[in-house]
C-alpha cells in the first residue's frame, strides 16, 4: 500500500488555461503506476467520446442545442465544456467562455461576478471565472465517478486525495479562488501544487532512479513552463543531504500573463492581413473566430511533426462568400518564424522587458505582459536570482513544460539564448509528455507525500507581508507611509502556524477597511513579525484585501490586536487578528475586488 491514508487513489489535476488533464495512481497496487484519465465529453452534436485532455472551454448553449449536448451520466446543464465547447464556441465566440484561469488571477475585476465571455453583449448570459473553473472541475469529477468509481461510492473523486496545480506565480488570492472553485465543484479540500514543481516531479517519475545520474550537487534546474495563458519560471537546486541528492525550489518568477493566447493573436493578425489583401476584411466577431481557428492550427502544427500545413476558416457574414466561409492556410515555417522571432528572439541577459506605451484611457481586459519577448522575461528572472541560486559561472539545466514548448524550434531557441548568456550549452532534461507532465507530476507528488517518491523542498513560493500604516502627525498633502509586516517568509513549510504576539496593532472594526497585501520573491532574510520601512525596491503590492470586521457596539472603533498567520497544508494563507485576552478573533477574508472598486 502507498500509505495509511484511506483514499485509494492520489489524483493530479492540471487545470490549464486551454487544456485540463487528470493523472492518477492506484495506491492499492504494490507498485503504483501513474495513468492518464480518458475524459468522456461531447465531441460533436449527439456524440460523446473519450479524450486524454478536457479543453478548458465552456459554451453557453442555446435552448434548442441542449438536448443533443447532454451527457447521460451528468445532471442537465445549460452549457457544455470540453472538446465540443471549443469547436462550437469558435464559431459563436459571444457564447464561448475561455481563459478563465487567466481571469482568475486578474486583480482588477470581481472574479466572482459573471463577466465571461468578456466581449459579449451586456445582456448576454455570462459566468464568473470562479464558476467556469468550477464547471471544468465538476465535469472532471462527474467523469471520474462515471468511468472509475461506477458503483463504488468510496472511490468517488470527492473521497480521493486530489492535488490541483496552480502557477507558481499565483498570489494568495488566486490560490484561494482556485481552492474555492474546487469546493464549488464538490471536490472538498484539495492540495495545491505549483506547476513548475509538478513538471519536475514528472521528470523524476519518467526517469525513475536514473534522475540522480543526470544531475549533480550544485546543479540548478531551470523550469521553463509556457502554457496557454501564463509563463512560469522556477529554479530548483540540487543539494547534498546526508550523502544523498535532494532538490530544493529556490526561486519562482513573477506572474507573467504571456503564453499561447498571445501567440494565437499574433497568428490571427498575420492571417487577417493576408485575407485583407485578398479583399476579405474581417469584422470583430470574425476576428475572434479567427483567433480560435489559429489556436487549433498552431496546436496541430507544433504537436505533429508530420504536418506542414493547417487550414483555418471563419464563417462569412455575407451571401457573397462562396461556401459560407473564408478560408486560409497556416504553414509550419510561417508559424515557427512568427513565434520564434516575435516571442523568442535572441537577447542579451541585461535586456529588460519593455513596459510599453501607456494610453490615458484603456479598455479593461486581461493585464497581458506589455513585452511579448519571453526571452527578455526569462533573462530578467535569471539575472534577479542567479546569485541566490548559485548560477554564477554555471549554466542551468533546462526542463521545459507547457503545450507551447512542444515546438522543437522554440525549445532550440531557448537553449541557444541561455547558452549565449552563460558561454556554454545548457543540458536539456527530457521528461514526460509536455501536455501531460503537470498532471503526471501532481499525481507523483501525491505518491511522494505517502513516502513513495522524492519530494522537492520548497515551502512558500515568496515572502508575504501585510501593509501597516505608520503612526504620524497629519501633514497637508502627505499620506502616512506604509510599512511591510512580514507574515510568511520565503520557504516557510506548508502547515506552519506563525504567532506574532510581541507586536500590537490598531485594528479598525465595524466598517469597511482596506488591508494592503504585499509579496516578494527577492527578500530571503525577513522573519515573521519583522516590520520593514524601506521596501519599494524589493517588495511589491499585490491584490489588497477589503473586509468589514464586525464587533457589535464598536462600529468604526480601533481595537488593539496581535496577529496570527497560517500557511496551510493546502497551500493557502489564513490570517487572524486576536483581541486582548483572545476573546475576539477576526479572520481576514479575501475580497476579490481591487481597492476602490464598487
Amino acid at each position: 500500500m502507498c500509505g495509511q491514508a484511506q483514499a485509494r487513489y492520489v489524483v493530479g489535476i492540471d487545470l490549464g488555461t486551454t487544456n485540463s488533464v487528470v493523472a492518477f495512481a492506484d495506491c492499492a497496487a504494490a507498485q503504483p503506476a501513474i495513468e492518464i484519465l480518458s475524459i468522456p465529453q461531447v465531441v460533436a452534436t449527439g456524440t460523446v467520446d473519450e479524450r486524454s485532455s478536457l479543453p478548458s472551454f465552456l459554451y453557453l448553449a442555446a435552448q434548442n442545442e441542449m438536448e443533443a449536448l447532454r451527457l447521460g451520466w451528468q445532471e442537465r446543464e445549460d452549457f457544455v465544456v470540453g472538446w465540443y465547447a471549443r469547436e462550437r464556441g469558435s464559431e459563436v465566440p459571444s457564447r464561448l467562455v475561455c481563459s478563465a484561469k487567466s481571469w482568475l488571477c486578474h486583480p482588477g475585476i470581481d472574479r466572482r461576478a459573471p463577466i465571461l465571455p468578456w466581449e459579449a453583449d451586456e445582456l448576454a448570459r455570462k459566468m464568473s471565472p470562479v464558476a467556469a473553473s468550477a464547471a471544468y472541475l465538476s465535469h472532471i469529477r462527474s467523469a471520474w465517478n462515471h468511468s472509475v468509481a461506477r458503483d463504488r461510492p468510496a472511490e468517488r473523486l470527492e473521497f480521493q486525495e486530489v492535488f490541483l496545480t496552480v502557477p507558481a506565480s499565483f498570489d494568495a488570492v488566486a490560490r484561494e479562488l482556485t481552492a474555492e472553485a474546487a469546493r464549488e465543484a464538490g471536490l472538498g479540500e484539495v492540495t495545491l501544487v505549483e506547476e513548475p514543481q509538478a513538471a519536475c516531479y514528472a521528470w523524476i517519475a519518467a526517469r525513475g532512479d536514473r534522475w540522480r545520474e543526470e544531475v549533480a550537487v550544485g546543479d540548478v534546474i531551470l523550469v521553463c513552463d509556457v502554457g496557454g495563458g501564463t509563463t512560469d519560471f522556477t529554479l530548483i537546486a540540487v543539494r547534498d543531504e546526508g550523502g544523498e541528492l535532494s532538490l530544493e525550489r529556490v526561486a519562482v518568477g513573477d506572474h507573467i500573463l504571456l503564453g499561447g493566447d498571445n501567440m494565437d493573436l499574433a497568428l490571427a493578425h498575420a492571417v487577417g492581413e493576408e485575407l485583407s489583401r485578398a479583399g476579405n476584411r474581417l469584422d470583430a466577431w470574425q476576428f475572434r473566430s479567427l483567433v480560435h481557428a489559429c489556436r487549433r492550427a498552431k496546436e496541430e502544427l507544433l504537436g505533429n511533426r508530420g504536418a506542414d500545413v493547417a487550414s483555418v476558416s471563419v464563417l462569412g457574414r455575407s451571401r457573397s462568400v462562396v461556401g459560407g466561409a473564408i478560408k486560409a492556410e497556416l504553414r509550419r515555417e510561417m508559424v515557427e518564424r512568427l513565434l520564434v522571432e516575435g516571442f523568442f528572439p535572441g537577447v542579451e541577459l541585461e535586456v529588460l522587458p519593455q513596459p510599453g506605451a501607456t494610453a490615458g484611457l484603456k479598455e479593461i481586459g486581461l493585464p497581458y505582459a506589455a513585452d511579448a519577448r519571453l526571452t527578455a522575461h526569462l533573462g530578467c528572472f535569471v539575472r534577479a536570482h542567479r546569485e541566490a541560486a548559485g548560477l554564477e559561472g554555471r549554466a542551468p539545466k533546462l526542463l521545459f513544460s507547457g503545450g507551447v514548448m512542444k515546438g522543437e524550434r522554440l525549445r532550440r531557441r531557448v537553449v541557444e539564448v541561455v547558452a549565449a548568456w552563460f558561454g556554454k550549452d545548457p543540458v536539456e532534461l527530457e521528461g514526460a509528455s509536455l501536455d501531460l507532465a503537470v498532471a503526471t507530476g501532481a499525481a507523483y507528488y501525491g505518491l511522494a507525500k505517502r513516502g513513495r517518491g522524492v519530494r522537492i523542498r520548497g515551502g512558500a513560493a515568496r515572502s508575504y507581508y501585510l501593509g501597516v500604516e505608520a503612526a504620524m502627525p497629519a501633514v497637508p498633502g502627505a499620506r502616512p507611509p506604509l510599512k511591510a509586516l512580514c507574515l510568511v517568509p520565503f520557504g516557510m513549510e506548508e502547515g506552519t502556524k506563525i504567532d506574532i504576539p510581541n507586536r500590537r496593532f490598531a485594528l479598525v472594526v465595524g466598517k469597511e477597511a482596506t488591508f494592503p497585501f504585499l509579496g516578494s520573491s527577492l527578500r530571503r532574510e525577513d522573519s515573521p513579525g519583522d516590520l520593514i520601512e524601506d521596501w519599494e525596491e524589493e517588495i511589491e503590492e499585490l491584490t489588497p484585501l477589503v473586509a468589514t470586521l464586525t464587533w457589535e457596539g464598536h462600529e468604526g472603533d480601533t481595537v488593539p490586536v496581535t496577529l496570527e498567520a497560517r500557511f496551510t497544508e493546502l497551500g493557502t494563507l489564513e490570517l487572524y487578528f486576536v483581541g486582548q485576552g483572545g476573546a475576539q478573533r477576526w479572520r481576514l477574508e479575501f475580497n476579490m475586488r481591487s481597492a476602490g472598486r464598487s
Side-chain angles (χ1 to χ4, degrees):
M1 296 289 288
C2 285
Q4 299 301 315
Q6 294 182 348
R8 175 173 178 174
Y9 295 95
V10 292
V11 183
I13 301 178
D14 173 13
L15 183 63
T17 305
T18 54
N19 286 287
S20 296
V21 179
V22 181
F24 64 97
D26 182 357
C27 291
Q31 297 292 330
I34 298 175
E35 304 176 54
I36 300 297
L37 178 69
S38 293
I39 305 174
Q41 56 198 283
V42 177
V43 296
T45 302
T47 304
V48 176
D49 200 0
E50 295 182 347
R51 296 286 190 272
S52 60
S53 65
L54 178 77
S56 303
F57 295 82
L58 185 149
Y59 176 66
L60 297 163
Q63 187 63 38
N64 61 353
E65 295 178 286
M66 282 313 305
E67 196 61 35
L69 301 180
R70 292 186 62 187
L71 291 165
W73 41 268
Q74 203 173 33
E75 294 181 8
R76 184 183 180 92
E77 301 279 8
D78 58 358
F79 59 81
V80 63
V81 303
W83 193 275
Y84 180 81
R86 183 184 66 184
E87 303 307 304
R88 176 61 175 155
S90 67
E91 300 172 348
V92 192
S94 61
R95 290 180 174 270
L96 180 64
V97 175
C98 58
S99 300
K101 182 176 178 178
S102 296
W103 288 99
L104 204 62
C105 60
H106 189 340
I109 52 96
D110 182 351
R111 287 159 274 186
R112 289 195 183 103
I115 59 172
L116 303 177
W118 182 254
E119 295 181 330
D121 184 88
E122 287 296 322
L123 299 178
R125 285 171 54 205
K126 295 189 176 185
M127 294 187 76
S128 73
V130 173
S133 300
Y136 305 140
L137 292 172
S138 181
H139 182 101
I140 287 170
R141 179 177 65 84
S142 297
W144 171 281
N145 292 342
H146 171 74
S147 302
V148 178
R150 294 285 181 175
D151 300 322
R152 299 184 293 274
E155 295 178 14
R156 293 175 65 86
L157 186 57
E158 53 265 38
F159 302 132
Q160 309 312 308
E161 280 194 277
V162 177
F163 299 86
L164 183 60
T165 64
V166 294
S169 55
F170 258 23
D171 65 18
V173 176
R175 290 170 187 251
E176 175 62 30
L177 281 170
T178 304
E180 179 181 318
R183 292 191 293 269
E184 189 175 314
L187 293 179
E189 297 294 348
V190 301
T191 299
L192 303 181
V193 184
E194 293 173 12
E195 290 167 4
Q197 281 199 62
C200 192
Y201 281 125
W203 166 67
I204 294 172
R207 308 307 291 172
D209 289 337
R210 291 174 297 167
W211 74 269
R212 293 181 173 86
E213 301 171 6
E214 298 183 19
V215 293
V217 174
D219 283 346
V220 178
I221 300 171
L222 168 57
V223 184
C224 182
D225 182 1
V226 186
T230 58
T231 290
D232 242 352
F233 302 126
T234 289
L235 291 173
I236 297 173
V238 182
R239 308 291 199 200
D240 182 342
E241 189 172 305
E244 294 287 335
L245 292 183
S246 66
L247 300 171
E248 180 181 2
R249 195 250 357 260
V250 293
V252 297
D254 295 327
H255 189 71
I256 306 172
L257 203 60
L258 178 61
D261 288 350
N262 306 70
M263 299 174 190
D264 302 337
L265 282 167
L267 295 173
H269 279 292
V271 173
E273 289 176 2
E274 287 187 4
L275 292 173
S276 181
R277 287 193 293 270
N280 293 311
R281 286 186 61 85
L282 305 182
D283 60 24
W285 181 89
Q286 289 173 307
F287 183 77
R288 289 199 293 274
S289 292
L290 178 61
V291 172
H292 293 297
C294 286
R295 184 202 63 249
R296 292 196 304 271
K298 177 200 70 182
E299 292 175 352
E300 179 181 344
L301 293 172
L302 293 183
N304 181 1
R305 294 189 178 185
D308 292 318
V309 181
S311 62
V312 296
S313 65
V314 296
L315 295 179
R317 303 295 290 267
S318 168
R319 293 182 180 179
S320 64
V321 179
V322 178
I326 302 171
K327 297 183 179 181
E329 288 184 340
L330 270 178
R331 295 186 173 277
R332 173 191 292 275
E333 188 280 330
M334 172 190 176
V335 170
E336 292 183 339
R337 174 173 48 81
L338 284 173
L339 300 190
V340 168
E341 299 308 323
F343 293 88
F344 297 89
V347 296
E348 299 293 332
L349 184 57
E350 290 71 24
V351 170
L352 293 173
Q354 296 300 306
T358 301
L361 191 66
K362 300 173 68 174
E363 273 190 325
I364 296 175
L366 286 173
Y368 290 112
D371 193 332
R373 297 175 300 169
L374 278 158
T375 41
H377 292 284
L378 177 59
C380 186
F381 170 71
V382 169
R383 191 172 59 254
H385 299 285
R386 61 182 168 183
E387 183 176 350
L391 276 176
E392 298 291 351
R394 176 193 295 263
K397 297 200 170 181
L398 292 175
L399 180 62
F400 293 108
S401 183
V404 167
M405 300 314 299
K406 288 190 296 185
E408 184 179 352
R409 279 189 63 186
L410 306 186
R411 296 196 306 274
R412 191 164 67 243
R413 173 55 65 86
V414 174
V415 170
E416 293 169 355
V417 171
V418 174
W421 292 343
F422 290 91
K424 60 185 69 173
D425 291 336
V427 174
E428 181 180 346
L429 301 175
E430 296 184 5
S433 161
L434 293 174
D435 286 330
L436 310 177
V438 169
T440 299
Y444 178 90
Y445 174 69
L447 292 175
K449 285 197 70 174
R450 294 193 180 195
R452 298 298 297 270
V454 178
R455 289 190 63 174
I456 300 170
R457 291 185 299 158
R462 46 179 43 81
S463 300
Y464 288 112
Y465 308 80
L466 197 62
V468 178
E469 188 176 280
M472 60 174 286
V475 177
R479 297 181 59 184
L482 199 66
K483 300 181 181 180
L485 173 70
C486 182
L487 301 174
V488 177
F490 181 92
M492 189 172 92
E493 292 295 329
E494 291 87 347
T496 302
K497 180 182 176 183
I498 295 295
D499 293 330
I500 309 176
N502 298 325
R503 286 191 178 275
R504 292 193 175 275
F505 303 93
L507 176 70
V508 176
V509 297
K511 70 176 184 179
E512 185 174 273
T514 299
F515 298 83
F517 193 52
L518 312 115
S520 174
S521 59
L522 299 176
R523 295 182 68 97
R524 308 293 176 91
E525 70 279 9
D526 298 331
S527 299
D530 287 353
L531 200 59
I532 298 96
E533 296 191 28
D534 300 317
W535 51 265
E536 288 81 1
E537 294 294 326
E538 297 178 312
I539 302 175
E540 61 177 342
E541 292 196 49
L542 306 175
T543 307
L545 311 182
V546 181
T548 301
L549 306 178
T550 59
W551 188 12
E552 188 174 350
H554 294 269
E555 288 74 17
D557 290 349
T558 56
V559 295
V561 295
T562 57
L563 201 62
E564 294 178 2
R566 184 168 177 262
F567 187 43
T568 72
E569 290 282 2
L570 308 178
T572 58
L573 180 65
E574 295 178 354
L575 303 176
Y576 294 91
F577 298 109
V578 184
Q580 285 183 319
Q584 292 84 32
R585 288 174 63 88
W586 294 270
R587 184 177 190 272
L588 187 54
E589 298 283 351
F590 289 104
N591 183 290
M592 305 319 147
R593 296 176 186 265
S594 289
R597 289 178 61 87
S598 61

